[in-house]
Amino acid sequence: MKNKKEQINNSEPSMAVDIGGLILKNPLMTASGTFGYGKEYAPYIDINRLGALIVKGLSLEARKGNPPPRIMETPCGMLNAIGMENVGVRAFIDEKLPFLRSFDVAVIANIFGETINEYKKIAAILSTVEGIHGLEINISCPNVKRGGIAFGAHPDTAYEVTGAVKSFTDLPVIVKLTPNVGDIAEIAESVEAAGADAISLINTLTGMSVDIEQRAPHLKNITGGLSGPAIKPIALRMVWEVVNRVSIPVIGVGGIIDANDALEFLIVGARAVQIGTANFINPRATLDILEGIDNYLKRHHMKDINDLIGTLKDGR
Ligand SMILES: Cc1cc2nc3c(=O)[nH]c(=O)nc-3n(C[C@H](O)[C@H](O)[C@H](O)COP(=O)(O)O)c2cc1C
């Protein structure tokens, strides 16, 4: 039989985090749009082990998205201009949600509208069905002409959408911010004041790429959203700025490829992390990162992930 000291050393660190009242078994989330509706990844990972699964952004009606080509690889990331292709909220509930209900995982619906009224309607519909544990409001998509970033780029409109959605749901509301602004912390303060339960950041940075032989943009949409390793230092800096200005939980997203990347975000103060582009490179990325964080906590003799979050030391 093991003595008490050995038992403590061998016990698994607690990974549970509280995201605005939503208790997750661990801080690993899938970033919207990079994990489909879950089914696509079920052959590769045990979905029950994720902290939360955030589905592809949903709009009121189905959307075809932008014409191809709409994906382009760059030296350290990818450009996409999918344009919010999705099945629409009702088809999601009928055709995709039953599969997700079979797992013991928090399901967060990422929602997108062209008008504030549409955001309200989608929130109201999703709040009446079983199996949705939270909403993530996308006010940060750069690849559509109406909606998305149009709301996220100004503190007043960000406030208005957040308040509107909050009044139509009892679910925890996460507001997803865009980096394509001058002062992201100002927008964060505004959505906190409107009642947001948590904030996630960042969505993609607007970029472009040119085919020099054709002398034409690679993407039909001309510009697209840049994601992947190239944006990690920017995302990290923005998370750091925002955690210092709001008291609601912040979720870090942007270029997280391995456990070391995720640890940087947690140390800076992110309460959870979302894994996006990394899923396309390694479908097991989320769980590999979870295992890497677990190893780090053990190596540093930490029994609870909350003892690590926000422990960045000032200066050198
Ligand atoms: C192909 C693709 C589709 C995306 N679709 C959505 C979406 O529907 N809603 C949303 O809020 N963000 C969407 N995003 C943004 C990601 O969720 C994430 O914020 C961004 O890619 C940065 O993280 P990463 O560098 O880990 O990929 C999409 C990103 C990619 C690459």
Side-chain angles (χ1 to χ4, degrees), residues 31-34 56-57 78 80 82 84 110 138 176 202-204 227-228 231 253-256 276-277 280:
S32 178
T34 65
K56 172 70 190 158
M78 68 189 262
N80 91 81
I82 305 292
M84 299 309 293
N110 177 281
N138 176 5
K176 183 164 177 183
I202 57 177
N203 207 316
T204 54
S227 63
I231 72 169
V253 202
I256 301 176
T277 302
F280 297 127

Side-chain angles (χ1 to χ4, degrees), residues 110-124:
N110 177 281
I111 66 172
F112 160 82
E114 291 193 358
T115 62
I116 290 185
N117 212 24
E118 279 184 16
Y119 278 98
K120 278 191 209 166
K121 282 190 186 157
I122 306 166

Side-chain angles (χ1 to χ4, degrees), residues 102-277:
S102 64
F103 296 98
D104 173 26
V105 67
V107 174
I108 298 176
N110 177 281
I111 66 172
F112 160 82
E114 291 193 358
T115 62
I116 290 185
N117 212 24
E118 279 184 16
Y119 278 98
K120 278 191 209 166
K121 282 190 186 157
I122 306 166
I125 294 168
L126 287 168
S127 302
T128 60
V129 295
E130 194 198 324
I132 300 286
H133 304 90
L135 300 179
E136 182 178 63
I137 323 181
N138 176 5
I139 52 168
S140 42
C141 180
N143 303 318
V144 289
K145 288 199 177 64
R146 295 177 58 200
I149 206 168
F151 296 112
H154 303 284
D156 294 349
T157 42
Y159 181 94
E160 214 183 320
V161 189
T162 307
V165 170
K166 277 294 287 180
S167 65
F168 275 79
T169 186
D170 291 328
L171 293 169
V173 171
I174 302 166
V175 182
K176 183 164 177 183
L177 303 186
T178 171
N180 299 303
V181 293
D183 182 358
I184 197 166
E186 185 189 18
I187 313 270
E189 283 179 334
S190 183
V191 302
E192 179 181 42
D197 298 290
I199 291 171
S200 53
L201 65 135
I202 57 177
N203 207 316
T204 54
L205 281 131
T206 309
M208 72 183 279
S209 166
V210 170
D211 178 335
I212 55 167
E213 296 308 323
Q214 304 294 328
R215 290 184 225 146
H218 275 121
L219 295 176
K220 182 94 177 162
N221 193 54
I222 305 177
T223 61
L226 181 66
S227 63
I231 72 169
K232 194 196 88 182
I234 301 167
L236 197 61
R237 184 265 294 174
M238 290 189 158
V239 166
W240 173 73
E241 281 180 355
V242 169
V243 292
N244 286 313
R245 291 270 285 275
V246 299
S247 47
I248 51 177
V250 172
I251 303 162
V253 202
I256 301 176
I257 301 296
D258 60 22
N260 291 351
D261 295 330
L263 285 160
E264 287 190 56
F265 279 85
L266 295 169
I267 290 167
V268 156
R271 201 81 63 88
V273 287
Q274 293 181 11
I275 314 304
T277 302

